[in-house]
Each structure stands twice: as structure tokens, then as C-alpha cells.
Amino acid sequence: DVDFVITNWCDGELIEDRPYVAYVLLRFAQHLRAEPSVVVDRVLDRARVPVIRATIYVDDGSVPVDVSLECASHTGLAAAELGRSLVDEVSQLAPAAVAVRALLRKAGLNDAYTGGLPSYAVLLMLYYATLNGDEPRSARKKTVDALADASWVQASPAEHLLRATPTTPHRKKSTASESLRPTYARSAPRQAPPSVPRRSAPPASIGREVAKQLLGNGPILKGDDADLAKTLLNFFRLFGRESQISVSVRDGGRRLAHGDSLGGLFVEDPLDVSNNVARAAFRGKDVLALFARAHDRLRDALLARNRRVLDALFVDDEE
């Protein structure tokens, strides 16, 4: 799919008030519905970052798109720049990410909104696998509680750019009727809440800055480490067979001492250490089971010296 982020949509500093951002996005969804080539599937106005999920039909094909508004809690631009910087420096990340995403899509586990694993989490997990390689567990660094560890923020040259997680004000418990309200845009949207401009979102440049630090703290990859099959085998071993469900790519890659999402996965966001980018993966156990099966298939294909080892990943279980 394609992610669109609308920037410079409000005057002054970016809006931090999520209800106001959701209101503007709902109004924008109404305009999109008037376009004959656009089908708005749904509006996730209660998400951490409200998103329009739509499909654009062009010629004989279609393109799924996610549309969001740049706001104070939006780290998408910085995350995209971080991912681009990592991919530019570590050659095997891009093809490995495509293979893992294709495997997840085949199993219906590629969509974070249905409990799958988002692409940003896949990229960070793959980078963690390249950092760890074939080291035995006993040689790895001891576990660290990410939420209690502030050394990364303090040591960063770009600490003034790192975003602190905003506190969420206490809200009255919603009633049953409120919890069942549809998330699509209404024909008569609710009245716009007052806007509260407070602070700016982290700029995209922070992604390059953090990626530079991650690459500097990691080992220098050797030539044979660029082998795609080996990278994938390490990835599936770590997350499928060894079930390393709480990880961080900081300080050369390390395991963490906790997992707090519904699926048990915790993938620390290097842009915000309190953010779990896999928090929505409530089907995390299915994801890990898929990776375990993929590890066995890929290992067997490598042992058999199969020339098309990656084809083994996409064999149906029945076969």
C-alpha cells in the first residue's frame, strides 16, 4: 500500500489534540467519497494517529492507501527516513523485508489493524537479526527494561529532537452505545472541538540522526552477512524458534525484559523508547508460529542445497 501524510494543513504549530485531528480527517473523508475513483473503506478515528483507509482505482488496477494528517503524535515521516537510512546502509534489509512481508500477506498477518505485524516492526526486527547473527544466547547482552532505561535519550546528540510521549488525560468511561459507534465518516459530522496547538512533531531529519547512531553502535557487517537466505534464517530462528518477543535495536541490538502487547510482542521504537511498534499485533502468537514454520522450511531447503530456497517459504502447510 501507499502511505500519504498531509502536511502544513493547519496554521501555527501542529495540533496535539487527537479529537480535533480526527474531526478534520472525517471531513476530508467525505470529500474523498465524492471522487468516483476513490473508495473509502473506513476511517480509524480512534487510533493513536487517525487514518483514512481507502482504495484508489486507476485504469485496470487499484492501489490501497492510508491517509493521515501530520500532527504532534505523528512519527511516520521520521520513521520513514530512519528506515530509508538503514536500508541504504544494510543491503540485505530491503529484499528480506519484501520476503517477510510477502509471507505475512499470504497468511493474512500483514495488517496491523487486523492484528498483524506492521512493516515498520518487520524492518526493526530484521535489523535486530542482522545485529545478532549467529551469536549464542549466552554471548548476548543482559536484558534491560526499556522503560526504565533513559541512557539512550541522555547520550543522543539529537536528544532535543527526541519526542517525549504525551500524557493522556483521564477520560470518562465510554458507554456501550459509544463503543459501538461506526468509525466511518458521518453524513453530518460532529461539531469540531477547539484546536489546541502545542508543539511540533519530530522532523524527518531525526530519522537520519537516529539511524546514524544505530549503525554506529552496531557491528560492521562482513561480506557473507549480506546473504539473504542467511539473514532470513537468523530472523526466523530468533523470532520463530527462540521466541525473542521483546527486542530493541539500540546499543547493538538487545533483548528486553518485558512484552506488553496483546500478542506478547514488544518491538521498541528507537524514535520513542516508550512506544511499542507491535502493540496492535494481537495475533502475535500466529505470527511467531508462522516464523517457526518458515525457519524449518528454509533450513531444510538450505541443507538440501535447493537453488530456489526462498520458494520454500511460500509452500502451503498442506503440501
Side-chain angles (χ1 to χ4, degrees):
D1 60 357
V2 179
D3 294 329
F4 289 104
V5 180
I6 301 175
T7 61
N8 300 323
W9 61 276
C10 60
D11 297 329
E13 293 183 329
L14 295 178
I15 301 298
E16 186 178 6
D17 188 31
R18 188 184 60 80
Y20 182 78
V21 175
Y23 166 79
V24 175
L25 203 67
L26 287 167
R27 294 299 301 267
F28 182 61
Q30 289 182 317
H31 291 281
L32 289 179
R33 284 193 170 91
E35 296 294 327
S37 60
V38 178
V39 174
V40 176
D41 301 319
R42 51 183 163 167
V43 180
L44 303 169
D45 58 346
R46 294 181 179 273
R48 181 172 179 261
V49 176
V51 176
I52 296 174
R53 310 210 72 187
T55 303
I56 299 177
Y57 291 89
V58 289
D59 298 331
D60 296 330
S62 62
V63 180
V65 297
D66 290 349
V67 183
S68 58
L69 300 175
E70 186 182 17
C71 56
S73 60
H74 200 304
T75 59
L77 296 177
E81 192 61 39
L82 184 149
R84 187 180 298 111
S85 298
L86 292 179
V87 167
D88 288 343
E89 295 296 328
V90 186
S91 59
Q92 69 267 38
L93 277 184
V98 171
V100 174
R101 290 287 292 169
L103 181 66
L104 290 169
R105 177 165 186 158
K106 185 174 183 292
L109 294 169
N110 65 314
D111 191 344
Y113 297 104
T114 57
L117 202 59
S119 56
Y120 185 39
V122 170
L123 183 66
L124 293 177
M125 292 164 71
L126 277 167
Y127 185 57
Y128 172 85
T130 63
L131 293 175
N132 279 264
D134 294 322
E135 288 185 4
R137 285 199 221 181
S138 58
R140 294 177 194 147
K141 298 179 181 179
K142 62 182 180 179
T143 59
V144 179
D145 189 337
L147 298 182
D149 176 24
S151 61
W152 170 255
V153 178
Q154 295 169 358
S156 169
E159 66 176 82
H160 62 286
L161 293 175
L162 290 175
R163 176 174 66 85
T165 304
T167 56
T168 303
H170 176 72
R171 293 188 177 90
K172 187 177 82 171
K173 187 175 180 181
S174 60
T175 62
S177 60
E178 289 176 337
S179 63
L180 295 175
R181 286 191 303 176
T183 57
Y184 52 81
R186 288 83 170 170
S187 57
R190 58 182 179 271
Q191 183 178 1
S195 62
V196 185
R198 295 182 184 176
R199 57 183 174 81
S200 61
S205 59
I206 189 180
R208 291 190 297 270
E209 196 72 25
V210 173
K212 187 184 302 182
Q213 296 172 38
L214 295 177
L215 293 166
N217 291 332
I220 299 176
L221 299 177
K222 300 177 182 179
D224 56 352
D225 286 333
D227 180 61
L228 177 58
K230 181 178 179 180
T231 299
L232 288 171
L233 190 65
N234 286 334
F235 173 81
F236 293 133
R237 172 179 59 82
L238 291 171
F239 295 102
R241 282 302 170 199
E242 296 186 9
S243 297
Q244 296 195 21
I245 61 175
S246 301
V247 297
S248 168
V249 296
R250 298 184 290 122
D251 298 333
R254 60 187 184 180
R255 297 181 68 178
L256 301 177
H258 61 86
D260 73 341
S261 71
L262 294 175
L265 285 170
F266 189 100
V267 181
E268 183 189 80
D269 186 355
L271 296 172
D272 177 4
V273 297
S274 65
N275 180 34
N276 174 16
V277 298
R279 64 187 177 278
F282 59 82
R283 297 179 64 189
K285 292 182 179 178
D286 295 334
V287 171
L288 297 179
L290 176 68
F291 289 166
R293 295 193 299 270
H295 170 268
D296 293 345
R297 292 170 182 166
L298 189 59
R299 178 201 58 200
D300 294 343
L302 288 171
L303 291 174
R305 298 184 180 276
N306 190 335
R307 291 185 177 181
R308 303 184 64 180
V309 292
L310 295 184
D311 291 347
L313 295 178
F314 303 98
V315 176
D316 293 333
D317 291 333
E318 292 75 10
E319 300 178 16

